[in-house]
Amino acid sequence: GPTSPCRCTLLSERVGRPAVVQLRCFLRLQEQRCAMGAAGKAEDMGTPRGGNRRFVVAAAAALAVFLLLMTSGHAYGLANRTQVRTQHLRSLRGLVPVVGVAGAGAPNATELIMVAGHAILTGMDQSQVEDEDAWFLEDSQKGQLATYIRHIEKGVELAAKNPYSALVFSGGQTRPLAGPRSEGQSYWIAANVKGWWGTPEVAARAFAEEYARDSFENVLFSLCRFREVYGAYPQYLTIVSYSYKKTRFTDLHRAAVQFPLSKYHFEGVDPEHNPYNDAGNINKFKADPYGCGDKAAALRAKRNPFHRGAPYEMTCPEIKELLTTCSATPISAAKVPWRETAR
């Protein structure tokens, strides 16, 4: 039978879309009234003649309400999406996009430039890399951030001068309170934030080594990281660190890995006033060149709070013996892939 206005109201309440249901009902009622009016039976609908006009007006009003609701809903959805997007953009504030193109941009790289890491970037706003509050620093490291940034800058500067070089920032996840973030990655981020100091092409040749726990591992693991990226070991090695560490890196670590002195360079970068003395570490590595003794092992354990294992025995099988030896004297130069006898 014909649909009644009461039936329309019940339908609209049930489905929760009053404008749509009422409109459909009014249109159906209008069709029925027109058909019955043509047969002269308008009274059978219980509505006096002339009611058609009223229902037409009501249908038009319902249509207007429907369109208004649709428009309002669209506006609300648009506003809601805009709000979500704004919140998303706020959450990304401080993140700096990669400058240049990251990746192995020097397929024929021959020189490894290694910057030894000392600290971990923990701040959410990456743009504040020159603020000490954005880094996890031990008490003894307070006031040294500017020098760390200069180490990073020097590495980038040297890499920019040689298009056949690869820059490796070395340092693992060494601080439990800093979370599972590495020194190597932190230095890479800092260089990126600084726009690679005007040489964005270096980004394609810059990588993080994220397992080293001391200065010897900085050297050895960076050589292996170079091999992971380029499939071969470097012919030249440059190290960037504090000048007071030159003896440790050059006379002890370089000699322990048997890298040729003739193809080696050390770049010292210091604060204006340098009160440090490296005698303790020099004596330690003189007696224990590969860091296997109790003192060195305890320090490495302390600097590995997340219990990570370096993969280099698998990715650098050519130097497995160098990675595992605990010899009290440097291994034979014949056992390393750089071949030339160190002197």
Side-chain angles (χ1 to χ4, degrees):
T3 304
S4 69
C6 293
R7 175 64 173 164
C8 289
T9 301
L10 290 173
L11 282 172
S12 66
E13 291 175 349
R14 184 181 306 167
V15 300
R17 297 176 63 188
V20 177
V21 176
Q22 288 281 13
L23 176 59
R24 290 177 179 172
C25 289
F26 280 128
L27 292 177
R28 287 180 59 192
L29 284 169
Q30 181 60 19
E31 291 176 359
Q32 293 170 356
R33 290 179 184 279
C34 289
M36 297 185 69
K41 297 182 180 180
E43 290 82 357
D44 292 343
M45 297 289 294
T47 305
R49 296 184 184 275
N52 287 346
R53 181 175 298 175
R54 290 193 297 273
F55 276 94
V56 169
V57 172
L63 179 60
V65 171
F66 171 72
L67 293 175
L68 179 62
L69 289 173
M70 290 294 291
T71 303
S72 300
H74 176 73
Y76 173 78
L78 180 62
N80 188 53
R81 287 194 299 273
T82 301
Q83 182 181 9
V84 170
R85 179 173 175 78
T86 300
Q87 292 173 347
H88 177 64
L89 290 175
R90 286 174 180 170
S91 70
L92 294 179
R93 183 177 298 165
L95 293 181
V96 179
V98 174
V99 179
V101 180
N108 298 315
T110 58
E111 180 187 10
L112 165 61
I113 300 171
M114 188 276 285
V115 177
H118 296 88
I120 296 173
L121 181 65
T122 57
M124 295 301 293
D125 187 347
Q126 293 180 359
S127 64
Q128 303 299 317
V129 293
E130 294 185 279
D131 184 350
E132 286 200 346
D133 290 338
W135 294 76
F136 182 86
L137 300 173
E138 302 285 358
D139 290 341
S140 61
Q141 295 178 311
K142 300 293 178 63
Q144 297 188 56
L145 179 60
T147 305
Y148 300 160
I149 299 296
R150 288 178 59 205
H151 289 170
I152 300 168
E153 182 180 7
K154 177 57 69 172
V156 173
E157 175 189 324
L158 294 172
K161 291 178 179 178
N162 180 10
Y164 296 100
S165 66
L167 176 60
V168 174
F169 299 112
S170 175
Q173 298 177 2
T174 57
R175 304 291 190 266
L177 296 181
R181 302 178 177 93
S182 73
E183 296 169 357
Q185 183 189 54
S186 297
Y187 276 34
W188 192 100
I189 291 172
N192 186 65
V193 169
K194 299 299 290 184
W196 303 91
W197 283 274
T199 56
E201 67 276 7
V202 173
R205 298 181 277 114
F207 308 92
E209 187 290 305
E210 302 185 87
Y211 292 94
R213 299 164 293 179
D214 59 30
S215 54
F216 173 73
E217 289 187 342
N218 285 142
V219 177
L220 181 58
F221 289 1
S222 291
L223 289 166
C224 196
R225 185 74 181 100
F226 187 99
R227 191 255 191 251
E228 286 182 329
V229 175
Y230 295 105
Y233 294 96
Q235 298 176 26
Y236 303 92
L237 173 62
T238 295
I239 291 176
V240 179
S241 189
Y242 285 101
S243 293
Y244 76 89
K245 294 183 179 183
K246 182 176 181 179
T247 297
R248 191 202 316 178
F249 276 108
T250 305
D251 297 344
L252 299 175
H253 299 334
R254 180 207 56 80
V257 301
Q258 290 286 13
F259 202 91
L261 183 60
S262 61
K263 298 183 177 181
Y264 169 87
H265 174 69
F266 183 88
E267 191 78 26
V269 179
D270 298 317
E272 185 175 350
H273 302 288
N274 186 9
Y276 302 103
N277 186 301
D278 204 31
N281 284 306
I282 289 173
N283 292 331
K284 179 179 72 174
F285 281 106
K286 275 184 177 179
D288 183 21
Y290 298 103
C292 296
D294 293 342
K295 190 173 182 179
L299 180 62
R300 287 177 180 176
K302 179 182 178 181
R303 290 182 177 176
N304 188 21
F306 302 102
H307 306 285
R308 305 177 77 221
Y312 300 131
E313 288 184 41
M314 293 183 293
T315 59
C316 301
E318 304 87 353
I319 59 171
K320 183 175 181 179
E321 183 174 350
L322 190 57
L323 289 162
T324 57
T325 185
C326 286
S327 173
T329 57
I331 67 172
S332 169
K335 296 182 178 181
V336 297
W338 24 93
R339 299 300 179 189
E340 179 181 337
T341 302
R343 57 185 184 277

